[in-house]
Amino acid sequence: GTPPDETHRLFVDRFVTKEGRAIPVEVSARGFSIGGRGYVMAVARDITERVRWEERLRRSLREKEILLAEIHHRVKNNLQVISSLLDMQTYYIQDREVMKHFQATAGRVEAMGLLHKKLYQTSDLERVEMRDYIASLVEKILYMNRVEGREIGYSLDVENVFFNVDTALPCGLLLNEIITNSLKYAFMDRSTGDIGVILEQLGGDSYRMTVSDNGTGLPEGVDFFSNSRLGLQLVYMLTQQLRGEVSIARRGGTIYTIQFAAAGREGVRWH
């Protein structure tokens, strides 16, 4: 006969015993020829225990995924309760400055809650799709800081990248602080304005996030660490958490540029 294909093949099949019981087997087959005649030698190995073990692993993994999803769901709910309590407390505060602090804290809690909501809704419970998260977060920030008679637009240019929680959360909090700061101070005497957010991958694990507004701009000589505004101090500290650096440019408004590395890898430092 024709010599068989001498390529080695490895596959999984089912073998039926004399008693009629089907068992999973791993078959290793190789073709060879002797005297011009083709032969196939196959060895079948019982893999019943391996199949059972793999099934137990899959079941255990599924249970852990369900548990992790439930944790994200509960964290989101708890953060929502905290945010609601802070919001309710503002009704009993007469001091406008104190009220602003409560509202700012509620905004930070909302940013964290939205992150856990996104993680709960996705099939990958460890990575956040940043384009969707940033879009939802910016809309929420604008809604929470809306002022009657003022129209603030926004534009997003966000690459379709995924970050784990250790990177996504500081990025979300940074956006919250910078955009909230712009809405409070950059457009105080204006009825319209625009905010832009850009997130781009520079190569490898290095990323750059740019947040800009066309408002009045920050005063020259702002020192992040010594500035009395908590928001600016948080921008500095959150950037340090990302092992990155932040710079400010004042060109027809304020431009924040933050370069950082993905969590879990060596960071990038620049000036």
Side-chain angles (χ1 to χ4, degrees):
T2 303
D5 184 357
E6 295 188 3
T7 302
H8 175 253
R9 286 180 170 81
L10 185 68
F11 57 93
V12 175
D13 202 350
R14 285 192 173 272
F15 178 78
V16 180
T17 66
K18 292 179 180 180
E19 295 79 17
R21 183 170 60 91
I23 61 173
V25 294
E26 183 180 71
V27 180
S28 175
R30 185 182 297 276
F32 61 96
S33 60
I34 299 177
R37 295 180 63 85
Y39 299 90
V40 175
M41 181 176 67
V43 177
R45 181 166 63 94
D46 185 350
I47 58 171
T48 301
E49 286 304 314
R50 191 183 82 182
V51 170
R52 288 174 180 170
W53 177 249
E54 289 175 349
E55 179 58 32
R56 284 196 293 268
L57 285 177
R58 280 192 293 269
R59 187 164 56 249
S60 176
L61 178 60
R62 179 56 184 160
E63 290 171 354
K64 286 180 173 59
E65 289 176 343
I66 294 173
L67 177 61
L68 185 56
E70 180 62 22
I71 289 172
H72 283 304
H73 185 58
R74 292 190 180 188
V75 170
K76 185 266 295 182
N77 286 345
N78 289 339
L79 290 171
Q80 184 60 54
V81 170
I82 295 171
S83 179
S84 298
L85 289 173
L86 289 170
D87 188 53
M88 290 172 60
Q89 189 65 40
T90 61
Y91 290 103
Y92 302 96
I93 297 174
Q94 302 299 320
D95 190 310
R96 293 182 61 84
E97 194 63 30
V98 174
M99 183 184 296
K100 288 180 181 179
H101 290 307
F102 268 81
Q103 291 172 336
T105 301
R108 294 166 190 133
V109 174
E110 285 280 352
M112 292 187 284
L114 180 60
L115 176 70
H116 288 281
K117 178 181 178 181
K118 295 297 180 184
L119 284 169
Y120 173 71
Q121 292 175 337
T122 184
S123 58
D124 190 337
L125 298 172
E126 296 182 351
R127 300 194 307 161
V128 182
E129 201 279 295
M130 293 303 292
R131 182 182 294 171
D132 177 59
Y133 174 54
I134 289 176
S136 299
L137 180 58
V138 172
E139 289 185 2
K140 183 174 285 289
I141 295 169
L142 292 177
Y143 176 78
M144 292 181 66
N145 293 274
R146 66 194 183 280
V147 175
E148 187 175 352
R150 188 176 70 179
E151 293 292 333
I152 304 297
Y154 70 93
S155 62
L156 303 179
D157 184 5
V158 180
E159 292 190 16
N160 191 27
V161 297
F162 292 79
F163 289 159
N164 64 21
V165 177
D166 291 336
T167 300
L169 184 54
C171 285
L173 291 172
L174 275 167
L175 284 173
N176 180 74
E177 297 305 323
I178 294 172
I179 295 175
T180 300
N181 188 74
S182 292
L183 294 172
K184 286 183 178 179
Y185 303 108
F187 306 114
M188 290 182 63
D189 302 321
R190 302 189 181 192
S191 59
T192 61
D194 291 291
I195 289 174
V197 178
I198 300 173
L199 177 62
E200 53 191 328
Q201 186 172 11
L202 303 179
D205 297 319
S206 182
Y207 297 86
R208 180 166 59 214
M209 184 165 67
T210 306
V211 188
S212 61
D213 67 59
N214 61 351
T216 56
L218 284 174
E220 293 290 341
V222 168
D223 186 327
F224 278 100
F225 197 69
S226 64
N227 193 277
S228 60
R229 293 177 183 173
L230 175 61
L232 290 182
Q233 292 185 37
L234 286 175
V235 168
Y236 175 82
M237 289 187 289
L238 289 165
T239 303
Q240 292 296 300
Q241 185 176 333
L242 287 170
R243 304 183 314 283
E245 287 200 358
V246 57
S247 64
I248 297 179
R250 301 164 177 84
R251 297 191 299 270
T254 304
I255 304 172
Y256 296 80
T257 303
I258 301 152
Q259 186 164 322
F260 61 95
R265 310 281 179 88
E266 288 300 316
V268 177
R269 306 290 298 179
W270 71 295
H271 294 275

